[in-house]
Amino acid sequence: MRSDAVKTGIERAPHRSLFKALGLTDEELKCPLIGVVSAKSEIVPGHMHLDRIAEAVKAGIRMAGGTPFEFPAIGICDGISMGHIGMHYSLPSRELIADSIESMALAHGFDGLVLIPNCDKIVPGMLMAAARLNIPTIVISGGPMMAGRTKKKGISLTDMFEAVGAVKAGKLGEKDLCDLENSSCPSCGSCSGMFTANSMNCLTEALGIALPGNGTIPAVYSERLRLAKLTGMKIIELVEKNVKPRDIITPGSLKNALTVDMALGCSTNSILHLPAIAYEAGISFDLDMANEISERTPNLCRLAPAGGHFVEDLHAAGGVYAVMKELSRAGLLDERCLTVTGKTLGGNLINAANTDPDVIRPIDNPYSKTGGIAVLRGNLAPGGGVVKRSAVAEEMLVHEGPARVFDSENDAIKAILAGCINKGEVVVIRYEGPKGGPGMREMLMPTSALAGMGLDADVALITDGRFSGATRGACIGHVSPEAAEGGTIALVQDGDIIAIDMINGTLTLKVPDSELENRRKNWVCPPPKISTGYLARYVKFVTSASEGAVLKVR
């Protein structure tokens, strides 16, 4: 066992004395030592209940003959950090999470790990650590929040952010805003739509690194505690059989995850996180693979913000495996991939069934014949830009309009809320990429303000930053190269015509090359917005969004 390095032999007597200071017996030390990584905190709704999940996991580990040790991971709430300095730290926290798990796991000689994330960057950060460490690992999330309810309508955090724009536009009163505030987020769990957290939790099932149900069983269901106990039991089996993350996270399972991503209409952030996980697993990830898979994968689900269903509805309809069952009918998945159940994906699919064709469209009756996410390329985004096509109004799939340029998210928000954006315009927000941000902030506030003011079907938004999974509308993010690296987006001027074609996958700045070259000669990168602390170090090593914004030694 890997833990022999910290517990076996005469020379490890000092180490054993420290374990005994924890109250452990010789019998417990003879068992596999399992690290239980919990993102429990009192500031994130998705994490407030993870202590109960961790206790259930530890019970399962003990039942199966292991000895658990719980330790924490940090987690930033994207909703609370939205629209101010806090959002600079969200994406970079992914690397801190991966690094800290690596440090704890290797320093203490764990035989295996159970990862308990729930929100946004915590799920991919933990998966990156799993792929990097390559010791037996399994994931059990905290599960999705229940949808809020008002006037018999399901609501989510998206409605809250859009309500701000509606109030500013005089379409909603402050009392109605207060009512929404008190009802949109009714329980613990990751926010109830197909936002980033739930996207990544669902994709853990497609990757095979979590048990069926991990992505969709609501946080408040006792069924999730039972799944946590099963997860604790399963890690001992994985340790005994030495089944490691890189046996599960393979080129085939990553393609499965992308396929499910397209069918579900996941957050565009998945196109940041899957390449980062692939990088840690030593697997090449070509961004164009997303378009290739999207071209042959129908969009089967329209969950909030793209539609009126929520993750709890997806669970009731059969969950992620029901979606994969539909995809398997068209031969769109590699069913040979190994999963943490000990069976192949195909073996797990045998008993899966779609019980609600309104929530999960049958494969022969999709919302669209192509997937929910698209990568756009052109002179404005040679390295690619990403859009959640399933959440875009049909009339905005192809759009051409004059640019309105802002060098920060804050400036754009002020202009939008002041009513300074006109129909037909293309809002460009730059210097918000991995380096320029720094930290590649999510743009939920400007996109929600546009939607709340009724402009989501008339105005496009382009940025080298990124969007929340709660974003809807013609919002194109991850534009690469970013402005801070001298990408074309740095050269756009007010009034320049931008052509967007999400059907053919193009993003074009209609300015002659000679003019762009003249502008480039005069371009000077502005000074960094944050020049001290962690983010100053982060900027030196972070790569392009097209590479997953991972850290590399240059």
Side-chain angles (χ1 to χ4, degrees), residues 2 69 83 100 110 112 162 178 204 213 222 235 244 275 288 309 315 350 371 389 391:
R2 292 172 180 81
F69 297 86
S100 63
F110 292 122
E162 292 184 6
C178 185
T204 62
S222 296
I235 188 59
K244 301 184 291 294
D288 287 331
H309 297 132
H315 179 63
I350 290 172
R389 188 164 53 189

Side-chain angles (χ1 to χ4, degrees), residues 276-451:
I277 294 163
Y279 170 74
E280 296 292 354
I283 298 170
S284 176
F285 191 103
D286 183 351
L287 203 59
D288 287 331
M289 182 169 60
N291 274 353
E292 293 167 11
I293 289 175
S294 181
E295 282 302 309
R296 62 175 181 264
T297 305
N299 179 221
L300 304 181
C301 299
R302 290 279 169 96
L303 279 68
H309 297 132
F310 299 88
V311 180
E312 64 197 69
D313 302 314
L314 177 62
H315 179 63
V320 176
Y321 269 82
V323 175
M324 290 196 285
K325 186 80 168 187
E326 292 291 346
L327 295 169
S328 72
R329 290 172 54 198
L332 293 172
L333 298 173
D334 184 347
E335 298 184 29
R336 302 166 297 174
C337 292
L338 180 66
T339 74
V340 291
T341 66
K343 300 177 183 177
T344 63
L345 180 68
N348 292 340
L349 283 171
I350 290 172
N351 295 319
N354 177 6
T355 61
D356 190 341
D358 289 332
V359 176
I360 305 171
R361 288 277 187 94
I363 194 73
D364 53 4
N365 182 34
Y367 283 102
S368 66
K369 293 182 179 180
T370 55
I373 291 177
V375 175
L376 311 184
R377 292 190 187 270
N379 70 337
L380 186 51
V386 181
V387 63
K388 188 171 184 174
R389 188 164 53 189
S390 60
V392 178
E394 187 173 352
E395 59 268 33
M396 288 297 289
L397 291 173
V398 177
H399 178 74
E400 187 170 305
R404 287 290 304 279
V405 183
F406 302 92
D407 285 348
S408 74
E409 177 191 14
N410 297 347
D411 290 345
I413 291 171
K414 289 177 186 176
I416 293 167
L417 294 180
C420 297
I421 303 301
N422 303 306
K423 290 184 178 182
E425 291 181 331
V426 179
V427 175
V428 176
I429 305 177
R430 61 191 179 192
Y431 298 107
E432 292 288 3
K435 284 183 174 296
M440 203 178 183
R441 290 195 288 180
E442 286 187 345
M443 304 289 169
L444 180 56
M445 290 194 72
T447 62
S448 296
L450 287 170

Side-chain angles (χ1 to χ4, degrees), residues 19-281:
F19 281 115
K20 289 179 178 179
L22 293 169
L24 267 67
T25 65
D26 287 328
E27 289 75 15
E28 286 173 300
L29 284 173
K30 290 176 183 176
C31 297
L33 306 186
I34 307 298
V36 178
V37 190
S38 172
K40 155 73 179 177
S41 77
E42 296 181 347
I43 188 64
V44 186
H47 297 172
M48 62 186 286
H49 64 303
L50 295 188
D51 51 347
R52 296 189 66 205
I53 303 293
E55 287 303 318
V57 166
K58 290 186 284 186
I61 290 170
R62 293 187 183 105
M63 282 190 286
T67 300
F69 297 86
E70 183 179 345
F71 64 90
I74 64 167
I76 289 173
C77 177
D78 275 21
I80 294 174
S81 64
M82 193 72 65
H84 59 93
I85 191 173
M87 184 46 71
H88 288 289
Y89 289 87
S90 174
L91 181 61
S93 74
R94 186 186 71 178
E95 318 307 312
L96 291 175
I97 291 163
D99 290 350
S100 63
I101 293 172
E102 174 194 356
S103 302
M104 289 293 288
L106 294 181
H108 298 106
F110 292 122
D111 295 300
L113 294 173
V114 179
L115 308 177
I116 310 177
N118 214 27
C119 297
D120 297 283
K121 311 309 153 309
I122 298 84
V123 184
M126 288 189 176
L127 288 173
M128 289 165 67
R132 183 189 303 174
L133 287 163
N134 204 34
I135 64 175
T137 302
I138 189 170
V139 176
I140 169 70
S141 75
M145 183 184 288
M146 301 298 287
R149 297 286 166 183
T150 179
K151 298 177 182 177
K152 298 182 180 181
K153 176 192 173 188
I155 58 171
S156 69
L157 187 64
T158 297
D159 298 273
M160 240 3 281
F161 276 96
E162 292 184 6
V164 174
V167 171
K168 292 286 186 179
K171 297 183 176 183
L172 191 72
E174 291 193 21
K175 182 185 181 302
D176 294 321
L177 180 69
C178 185
D179 290 343
L180 284 172
E181 181 180 324
N182 290 329
S183 57
S184 63
C185 299
S187 73
C188 61
S190 48
C191 296
S192 56
M194 191 50 71
F195 311 146
T196 303
N198 289 327
S199 293
M200 294 308 300
N201 281 328
C202 286
L203 295 185
T204 62
E205 294 188 50
L207 283 169
I209 199 74
L211 294 176
N214 179 64
T216 61
I217 298 171
V220 296
Y221 282 18
S222 296
E223 184 182 357
R224 182 155 291 277
L225 296 178
R226 297 197 297 272
L227 186 71
K229 290 176 182 176
L230 291 173
T231 299
M233 297 169 70
K234 184 60 68 172
I235 188 59
I236 302 302
E237 180 183 320
L238 295 175
V239 168
E240 290 171 348
K241 294 180 178 178
N242 198 28
V243 176
K244 301 184 291 294
R246 293 191 191 185
D247 299 323
I248 293 168
I249 300 174
T250 64
S253 72
L254 281 162
K255 287 181 180 179
N256 285 343
L258 264 177
T259 302
V260 173
D261 187 332
M262 299 302 170
L264 284 173
C266 288
S267 163
T268 52
N269 281 314
S270 63
I271 306 299
L272 271 179
H273 300 321
L274 289 175
I277 294 163
Y279 170 74
E280 296 292 354

Side-chain angles (χ1 to χ4, degrees), residues 443-477:
M443 304 289 169
L444 180 56
M445 290 194 72
T447 62
S448 296
L450 287 170
M453 298 171 85
L455 292 172
D456 55 299
D458 298 290
V459 172
L461 195 154
I462 296 172
T463 181
D464 52 7
R466 60 195 177 92
F467 297 113
S468 165
T471 289
R472 65 185 177 95
C475 302
I476 301 159

